[in-house]
Amino acid sequence: MLFGDTLKLTGKMVIHQEYGEQFKIDTFEKIMPETVAALEKYLSSGTIKGIGPATARKIIDKFGEDTLNIFKFEPIRLSEIKGISKDKAYEIGEEFNEKWEVWQIVSFLEGFGISANNSKKVYDALRKRGSRKNTRKSIHTCRYCLWSEL
């Protein structure tokens, strides 16, 4: 998890012997930033190589509510921002979408008790097999293949 991530947490309050009352997380899900401000915070965090606070602000100012769709479906349009070449725009889009896909897989598999580390291994193995697109669908279709990947 990184600064700027929005998470949905489920769990319960517990009393720790040494630290007192705490929230014990049972499951978590990374949620796509739902507001322009949340997306700017996420992009400003340095999670995506080549995007810092200043560039994040420029992207948000240019694309506003469409920013997420630009990253997901038209990343070449990021080259409309001064300082981002077409090659860099493509790289930024690829990195954004890959990171998002990994988190979706982690959240999905966590529901089956598979750790984040093992979820990443599954993602990497499926990617090597050419299943990067629709990885969740690949997992759903071939659930028993998972164990061979772990």
Side-chain angles (χ1 to χ4, degrees), residues 119-148:
S119 296
K120 177 73 166 92
K121 288 179 186 176
V122 168
Y123 174 82
D124 290 341
L126 290 172
R127 188 172 178 202
K128 283 180 189 172
R129 271 207 248 156
S131 300
R132 182 173 171 253
K133 299 284 186 199
N134 294 317
T135 307
R136 281 177 71 168
K137 185 177 178 184
S138 298
I139 290 170
H140 206 43
T141 304
C142 186
R143 288 177 227 159
Y144 299 106
C145 299
L146 287 178
W147 303 116
S148 67

Side-chain angles (χ1 to χ4, degrees), residues 1-64:
M1 288 179 272
L2 299 168
F3 178 79
D5 287 347
T6 301
L7 303 173
K8 177 182 176 183
L9 307 172
T10 58
K12 58 188 166 282
M13 296 304 291
V14 297
I15 304 295
H16 187 275
Q17 206 170 11
E18 188 175 339
Y19 301 109
E21 189 175 45
Q22 299 179 348
F23 184 73
K24 182 178 180 185
I25 299 170
D26 292 326
T27 63
F28 71 94
E29 178 183 351
K30 183 174 177 179
I31 298 174
M32 186 62 80
E34 295 177 357
T35 66
V36 172
L39 185 55
E40 182 178 356
K41 186 176 179 182
Y42 174 76
L43 294 174
S44 295
S45 71
T47 301
I48 308 298
K49 184 180 174 188
I51 300 180
T55 304
R57 166 83 347 236
K58 290 177 187 176
I59 291 169
I60 295 296
D61 286 347
K62 173 80 174 168
F63 300 114

Side-chain angles (χ1 to χ4, degrees), residues 19-127:
Y19 301 109
E21 189 175 45
Q22 299 179 348
F23 184 73
K24 182 178 180 185
I25 299 170
D26 292 326
T27 63
F28 71 94
E29 178 183 351
K30 183 174 177 179
I31 298 174
M32 186 62 80
E34 295 177 357
T35 66
V36 172
L39 185 55
E40 182 178 356
K41 186 176 179 182
Y42 174 76
L43 294 174
S44 295
S45 71
T47 301
I48 308 298
K49 184 180 174 188
I51 300 180
T55 304
R57 166 83 347 236
K58 290 177 187 176
I59 291 169
I60 295 296
D61 286 347
K62 173 80 174 168
F63 300 114
E65 295 285 334
D66 288 333
T67 301
L68 200 52
N69 287 328
I70 297 298
F71 272 93
K72 291 181 86 177
F73 306 114
E74 299 180 272
I76 198 71
R77 290 198 54 207
L78 293 170
S79 65
E80 295 173 22
I81 305 296
K82 185 176 180 178
I84 300 179
S85 67
K86 287 186 178 187
D87 287 342
K88 186 66 177 173
Y90 178 77
E91 290 172 18
I92 289 170
E94 282 288 305
E95 185 175 352
F96 178 88
N97 286 308
E98 181 175 335
K99 286 181 187 292
W100 187 249
E101 179 75 12
V102 169
W103 269 104
Q104 291 297 306
I105 296 304
V106 169
S107 292
F108 177 69
L109 293 177
E110 193 275 337
F112 298 101
I114 299 173
S115 71
N117 191 33
N118 281 334
S119 296
K120 177 73 166 92
K121 288 179 186 176
V122 168
Y123 174 82
D124 290 341
L126 290 172
R127 188 172 178 202

